[in-house]
Amino acid sequence: MSLADLMPLRLPPAWRWAGEWMWRVEHAFERARAAGRPQDDARLRIFVVAVVFALVFLVLAIGAAHSALSGPTQRVDALATPGARGDLVDRNGALLAVDLKHWGLYVDPREVWDTAGTRAALTAALPDLPPKRIDKALAGEKRTYLAGGLTPEAKDRLFALGLPGLIFEPEERRVYPLGSTAAHLIGFSDTGGVGVAGAERALGDQLHKTAGGGQVPLAIDVRVQAVLEEELGKAVAEFQPIGAVGLVTNVRTGEILGLANWPDFDPNKPGAGGPGPQKNLAAASVYEMGSTFKAFTVAIGLDTGVATPQSTFDARQPFQLGYRTIHDYHAARKILSLVEVFQHSSNIGTAKLAESIGAQRLQKYFDGMGLTKRAKVDLVESASPLTPRKWDMDAVASTSFGHGMNVTPLALAGAYGAVLNGGRHVPLTIRKRAPGAKVDGPRVFSEATSAEMLKIMRANVADPIGSGGKADAPGLSVGGKTGTGEKYDPAIRGYSTTRQVSSFAAVFPTEGAIGDDRYFVLILLDEPKPSAATYGYATGGWVAAPAAGRVIDRIAGYLGVPRRFAPPAPTPASTLAAAPAEPLGGGL
Amino acid sequence: MSVSGIFTQRVRGFRVVEVVALGLLAVTILGVYLAKTMAGSERARIAALESSIADEKARIRLLDAEVAYLERPRRVSRLAETYLGLKPVDAKREATVETLAVVAATPVSLPKPAAAPQPAASQAAAPQAVTQ
């Protein structure tokens, strides 16, 4: 029998081994005493204790040497401070938002020797700081936070004054080096590093995870954005609207390549212009879009088999549908084919087509295109649409040409994507997708319908009778649809004839395979004023189409869209060398 | 040597076990002291390097932001228009690789090159051409 036998069986094996070992040692002592050598008993006990101590010290020494030589295994990054965020960059790596080390200024009045001198120096160095605040800090009895966000230069200037009692603490500040460029898409964050709007808010978690030098690429291309803002700015200067939106998206991937709003703001000083300019009109404002909706009605008519491009519609007389009598803005007063209905932007023809489609199918397709819910996009600002309460014939008539339903420009872009990309509703995104990524989405239209719509939209720009001729760009096979939605005026309980939302929805190139990259461009002006150059018109074809055309003309190169011209007639080499009538390449 | 012999054997009056233990203790103390001293200096150097790297990184980020600020599209566009008279390229002035042959074969109205310098002999024969 041993001590181990007396130990409870439920003890773990290690404890049982230790118990047995103790028992053997104790037994050795017993044997030494029994053999009449009690001095060996004491020495043995001392030896065992000494060995145990030596082992413990040895372990401690090895551990101490190891920890001393190896150092900390995990580095703490100096930039990973609370509230820190990763950088935002565009699809080509251009910096959009970055955390930079700034300095917070504190004053400890207990250490200030010369109060008057310190007050004067601070007032001169920080002219934006209210003098009362400086006085209050200097008159206090404890350390007080005086100003934050000092740049290294500003901090150095103050530090060089050598004033006792001024204390500087490092702090991270979000900086937007491009200023107002893409301000609504980038958004901004508060001083605590919490995103308030735009990508800063939508991608907050990802930005926090990449804090300390990591980057989050957005889908936008700064070059495209710059062109969009410049051309939108020119249109704003010419037509003096109360608001304006510009959008460029890739209809295959849903990527937002450019998003411009007017008025804009500087995210470095987001509150400077009041809350108005901060509103992202593209995502958070809903409009009755007007005739740009006719592309949807025509596409639905084709997809359901209700109509073909050659189907005819009698537009000679106003059309009564539901409670509405529908007139044409540009009355053709003739029988129009479906393509002509689109080109003349005939309300009568579109309403007759919608009547044939029926309320149920129209609503189903609108649901599929995402027009009846808030646009699927990362931006939390995305607003819900205003849709008809009841899908009766009155609603069918109105919505078929873009009235009676208010959607955001982003929702319009998403729906146009489904019409133009082969028929799938691909959610819009502000994130960059991997090159060549295959993006899927629920099918809304057939590929044949989508291909037919590209041809019809091209015809609306290329054909002299089309409403979008001013948007054409050489060699880029631009297609598009004008839109002029009269605004509802509560004062007259009806639609105003002078206040309207004028827009142009364009796509390029309309040529090429249906699965190719293709780009959607929207220019929208809210309440544009006519000018002499537009002969008193403020419709989409006059105020928005030219801007859309200029944008397309300038961004095609950035997007890698080649210009394709009809091949010239074969010319003998001898005559070519002799004297070509028109120098190709403009004399390059 | 028996176990008890470790405690009884003496060298110059000192028990062997005590001498060995003292030696081990001295070696351990010296080892730990040297290790900590060397580690301390290494750690200080590492900390200085890390601080320097962090400062450099912060400086690089500041310069990156400065570059982005100076390359603001609106600023570049304004400067290009104001000082260089540059404008967006007209589509007619674009050419692809395929059209280069046609472009090359197209006569262009370039300014006439300056008259080639006359050889020394002919210069003497026609001094007016040089002096005018």
Side-chain angles (χ1 to χ4, degrees), chain A residues 40 43-44 47 61 64-65 67-69 72 75 77-79 85 87 95 98-101 152-153 177-181 212-213 222 226 229-230 264 474 553-554 563 576-577 580 583-588, chain B residues 3-4 6-8 15 17 28 32 35-36 38-40 43 50 53-55 57-59 61-62 64-65 68-69 71-74 77 81 88-96 102-103 105-108:
Chain A
D40 284 356
R43 282 171 183 162
L44 264 175
F47 175 72
S67 61
L69 290 173
R75 274 188 56 209
D77 202 311
L79 292 170
R85 300 161 77 78
D87 300 346
L95 203 56
V98 59
D99 272 6
L100 289 181
K101 186 190 274 189
E153 289 78 17
L178 301 190
S180 60
T181 301
V222 164
E229 289 182 359
E230 189 178 329
D264 59 12
D553 195 47
R554 291 178 61 186
R563 294 181 194 271
L576 186 71
L584 285 164
L588 271 172
Chain B
V3 175
S4 60
I6 295 170
F7 300 100
T8 53
R15 287 192 179 118
V17 69
T28 306
V32 170
K36 285 195 79 72
M38 286 190 292
R43 198 181 297 163
E50 283 184 346
I53 290 168
D55 287 346
K57 277 184 177 174
R59 179 84 183 141
R61 289 170 67 78
L62 190 65
D64 281 343
Y69 175 75
E71 289 182 349
R72 292 189 319 278
R74 287 181 194 184
S77 171
E81 276 186 29
V89 179
D90 192 290
K92 288 179 185 169
R93 306 187 76 83
E94 290 182 20
T96 61
V102 182
V103 172
T106 305
V108 289

Side-chain angles (χ1 to χ4, degrees), chain A residues 85-89 95-100 174 200 207 210-218, chain B residues 61 64:
Chain A
R85 300 161 77 78
D87 300 346
L88 275 174
V89 295
L95 203 56
L96 304 175
V98 59
D99 272 6
L100 289 181
R174 199 65 163 166
E200 287 279 39
L207 286 167
T210 52
Q215 293 185 331
V216 177
L218 297 184
Chain B
R61 289 170 67 78
D64 281 343

Side-chain angles (χ1 to χ4, degrees), chain A residues 489-516:
Chain A
D489 187 349
I492 59 172
R493 296 173 68 84
Y495 285 97
S496 166
T497 53
T498 54
R499 296 165 57 223
Q500 52 205 206
V501 176
S502 302
S503 58
F504 192 78
V507 58
F508 78 102
T510 51
E511 293 171 356
I514 197 73
D516 286 353

Side-chain angles (χ1 to χ4, degrees), chain A residues 323-523:
Chain A
Y323 297 106
R324 300 190 61 145
T325 303
I326 296 155
H327 302 267
D328 273 351
Y329 189 81
H330 305 287
R333 300 193 189 287
K334 63 176 186 176
I335 295 172
L336 302 169
S337 71
L338 183 67
V339 176
E340 287 172 328
V341 165
F342 194 81
Q343 289 176 319
H344 285 282
S345 202
S346 167
N347 295 340
I348 297 170
T350 312
K352 287 190 172 180
L353 174 63
E355 184 190 27
S356 304
I357 293 167
Q360 200 178 352
R361 282 194 290 193
L362 197 71
Q363 187 190 4
K364 180 177 152 258
Y365 272 93
F366 278 8
D367 285 346
M369 286 187 282
L371 289 168
T372 53
K373 291 177 183 164
R374 63 183 289 272
K376 282 186 182 174
V377 65
D378 317 282
L379 297 170
V380 294
E381 295 94 325
S382 179
S384 295
L386 301 176
T387 55
R389 288 180 187 168
K390 189 179 171 190
W391 282 90
D392 53 15
M393 274 307 170
D394 194 37
V396 167
S398 301
T399 56
S400 68
F401 50 85
H403 274 246
M405 188 166 171
N406 299 45
V407 301
T408 62
L410 279 179
L412 188 86
Y416 259 99
V419 174
L420 303 168
N421 69 3
R424 294 191 179 276
H425 182 233
V426 175
L428 296 176
T429 182
I430 60 171
R431 299 168 198 254
K432 181 186 178 185
R433 294 198 192 276
K438 292 193 183 303
V439 186
D440 212 353
R443 179 163 289 285
V444 184
F445 299 104
S446 67
E447 285 194 1
T449 299
S450 190
E452 196 61 56
M453 284 307 299
L454 286 169
K455 285 183 197 167
I456 292 174
M457 287 183 72
R458 174 61 186 150
N460 191 40
V461 172
D463 198 325
I465 66 164
S467 58
K470 289 184 168 40
D472 205 9
L476 294 172
S477 65
V478 179
K481 181 72 193 82
T482 52
T484 309
E486 291 172 345
K487 292 181 80 170
Y488 183 77
D489 187 349
I492 59 172
R493 296 173 68 84
Y495 285 97
S496 166
T497 53
T498 54
R499 296 165 57 223
Q500 52 205 206
V501 176
S502 302
S503 58
F504 192 78
V507 58
F508 78 102
T510 51
E511 293 171 356
I514 197 73
D516 286 353
D517 277 327
R518 195 161 270 120
Y519 302 94
F520 172 78
V521 177
L522 176 72
I523 298 290

